[in-house]
């Protein structure tokens, strides 16, 4: 199997489920992950290792990880907010850790009750743990609110880049940029990812875009144009900002795959099987809205083009 | 007032209304057009001059034109399918004519019951009429199904370009490309508009994109990247393919303006007043769904950025 031109990391089971109210049964989560992997997705963020009392949806995360790691060829990723979470994730057998670090100081305090500096210190501890118990497991950071913050407004680009460098200095393998609030625009995406790649080289990570104001795919295209080849997205656009009716949060995996495949950029994903993976998602979360224009419109006549 | 960086032509009152079932009262159409012009839109396609028995929605088009031409600084455009329509449109006082020519032979036969060659002959007649009675009125063509056709599938790019050249040879002032079926992708948009601009120079016209599979803004960005500075869009995404629930047809003007303004590309449009122009649209078409992520999410904190 040849390497796809772009790497799509599915974040629905973590980022998506984290923002829905109903708890999805463990068996449904596993069936959904099976379907995502069967569609050709090679990396899935399957959950967060956070205290169950804070996020009951993730109470079964270790069990979900133990199932996901049995799927051949799949990189199983989990979000961990700190060393304690990383310990549990590594014990469950994850292949990759991701940590949320806020580019905005205001968001950092609101989200993890730590300053950015304190989060970088936390990163160092997670890296030290990883070096000790699981040296082969990459640690990745997504810089949230990198394109703007609903609490403080603009986030200076110099601060974003300086924080990315600080994360790499702390021993992180990869730093991506997240448009947590749906404020990014294509010109800004090109500027920031160009700078990130110039500063971090191979350690520059994924574009994690939201579709809050409809610019999700345009921003992914802008990132692709300046050399980004890794993208986060969520099946059915699950997650993000459910406060705005119809305004899906994360970029919809189905539409992202459609865009790239239509452009002749291979994703390794079978779009028919990907659309079929909406069934276990909807079965496990009855009544939860799912988004996506491509599944609604269907594939164009003559597909693949 | 300085010239905006991009020219946005609002097509809602024509392309949008053409595909809704309820007939919008004339007074509401006029109030809606007033609000669009007040928001800063400098060109509006206000209706089609087609037989009222075929499209009752457009029975009042002459009256709408006579109102719209009283608005200062506004270019009032109407669609005409043939010489007879052009006569009526010019008599009503339109500033610009637009004709639909299909890039796909199958679509041409289905849509206007004429071959492409017959439509080019029709164009020549419209240009002759214009030269005779209203030499200052530009005639524009939008090549529909330029990026693919639901009837015949792919449309060869060479045929699209050859047809655009034939339209210019027939005396047309401007030829744009329309993604009538929502099949375009950014790579194809860049290829085709690059060729169009190389062949037609100043006569290369607007990008008319649909959002059927969510790629509308990404395709507009792609067109902008290769030098296109004129875009068609529709308030609330009205029109297009209402068969797919949630799948708006035309690119949403509000989201397009948001994208460009956020990028620092001026549109001349006040986005707050643009969002306010949804009110007369909704008042005149009660119950009709309107789309748009930016109006739902609101403008980001700190706007203008």
């Amino acid at each position: 199997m040849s390497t796809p031109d772009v790497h799509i990391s599915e974040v629905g089971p973590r980022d998506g489920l984290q923002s829905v109210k109903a708890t999805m049964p463990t068996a449904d989560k596993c069936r959904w992950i099976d379907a995502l992997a069967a569609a050709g997705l090679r990396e899935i963020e399957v959950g967060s290792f956070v205290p169950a009392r804070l996020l009951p949806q993730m109470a079964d995360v270790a069990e979900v990880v133990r199932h996901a790691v049995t799927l051949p060829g799949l990189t199983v990723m989990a979000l961990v907010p700190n060393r304690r979470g990383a310990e549990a994730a590594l014990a469950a057998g994850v292949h990759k850790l991701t940590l949320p670090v806020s580019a905005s100081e205001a968001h950092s305090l609101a989200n993890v009750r730590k300053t950015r500096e304190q989060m970088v210190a936390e990163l160092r501890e997670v890296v030290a743990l990883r070096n000790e118990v699981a040296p082969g497991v990459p640690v990745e950071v997504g810089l949230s609110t990198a394109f703007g913050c609903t609490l403080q407004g603009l986030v200076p680009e110099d601060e974003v880049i300086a924080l990315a460098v600080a994360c790499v200095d702390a021993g992180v393998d990869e730093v991506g940029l997240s448009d947590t609030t749906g404020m990014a625009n294509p010109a800004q995406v090109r500027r920031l990812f160009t700078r990130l790649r110039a500063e971090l080289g191979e350690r520059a990570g994924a574009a994690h875009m939201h579709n809050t104001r409809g610019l999700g795919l345009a921003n992914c295209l802008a990132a692709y144009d300046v050399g980004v080849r890794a993208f986060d997205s969520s099946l059915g656009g699950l997650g993000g900002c459910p406060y705005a009716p119809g305004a899906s949060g994360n970029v919809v995996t189905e539409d992202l795959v459609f865009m790239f495949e239509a452009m002749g950029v291979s994703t390794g994903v079978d779009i028919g099987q990907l659309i079929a993976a909406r069934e276990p998602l909807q079965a496990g979360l009855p009544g939860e809205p799912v988004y996506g224009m491509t599944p609604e419109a269907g594939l164009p006549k003559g597909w693949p083009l």
Side-chain angles (χ1 to χ4, degrees), chain A:
Chain A
M1 201 169 63
S2 62
T3 308
D5 297 326
V6 292
H7 173 75
I8 295 182
S9 182
E10 167 65 39
V11 302
R14 197 281 302 170
D15 191 337
L17 287 185
Q18 201 159 299
S19 44
V20 303
K21 275 185 188 149
T23 299
M24 195 175 189
T26 310
D28 288 313
K29 288 182 186 175
C30 293
R31 204 160 74 80
W32 180 27
I33 290 167
D34 290 350
L36 291 166
L41 288 159
R42 284 289 150 265
E43 182 172 297
I44 305 178
E45 198 173 323
V46 300
S48 324
F49 283 84
V50 289
R53 69 184 153 78
L54 293 181
L55 204 55
Q57 181 73 268
M58 295 298 161
D60 61 358
V61 61
E63 200 178 335
V64 173
V65 168
R66 283 192 298 268
H67 170 76
V69 294
T70 66
L71 299 172
L74 181 69
T75 299
V76 177
M77 180 151 69
L79 183 138
V80 299
N82 49 32
R83 183 184 163 113
R84 194 190 198 124
E87 277 168 359
L90 292 172
V94 300
H95 302 134
K96 197 169 174 181
L97 297 173
T98 183
L99 281 99
V101 175
S102 298
S104 138
E105 189 80 353
H107 185 260
S108 189
L109 291 167
N111 196 38
V112 290
R113 282 172 294 172
K114 286 184 178 127
T115 65
R116 293 174 292 185
E117 210 179 310
Q118 286 169 328
M119 266 311 283
V120 172
E122 195 71 55
L123 275 184
R124 272 194 215 95
E125 287 203 42
V126 170
V127 169
L129 170 75
R130 182 274 311 266
N131 292 347
E132 198 187 310
V133 305
V137 171
V139 175
E140 155 194 304
V141 159
L143 284 187
S144 51
T145 64
F147 300 91
C149 171
T150 40
L151 300 170
Q152 77 172 47
L154 275 185
V155 178
E157 296 184 5
D158 288 346
E159 289 185 23
V160 176
I161 298 299
L163 187 59
V165 170
C167 292
V168 166
D169 289 346
V172 162
D173 299 279
E174 220 177 279
V175 182
L177 302 179
S178 301
D179 182 26
T180 317
T181 59
M183 288 170 72
N185 70 72
Q188 181 191 26
V189 167
R190 286 178 181 149
R191 268 196 320 271
L192 261 174
F193 270 105
T194 298
R195 285 186 68 179
L196 187 78
R197 289 166 52 79
E199 290 284 347
L200 267 50
E202 296 260 297
R203 296 194 177 213
H208 176 112
M209 295 296 159
H210 279 231
N211 200 35
T212 317
R213 292 176 182 85
L215 273 62
L217 290 185
N219 286 331
C220 288
L221 176 68
Y224 178 82
D225 287 340
V226 296
V228 174
R229 293 294 177 267
F231 298 86
D232 292 352
S233 60
S234 171
L235 197 82
L238 200 69
C241 295
Y243 68 87
S248 60
N250 288 288
V251 163
V252 174
T253 306
E254 301 89 309
D255 292 341
L256 184 67
V257 167
F258 174 74
M259 179 175 82
F260 281 130
E261 292 284 337
M263 290 172 72
V265 173
S266 67
T267 62
V269 177
D270 180 297
I271 197 164
Q273 284 186 269
L274 186 66
I275 292 172
R278 292 161 70 95
E279 187 279 317
L281 165 59
Q282 292 180 289
L285 283 177
E288 186 68 29
V290 291
Y291 305 103
M293 309 289 272
T294 305
E296 282 174 1
L299 293 170
K301 189 180 170 79
W303 183 266
L305 303 172

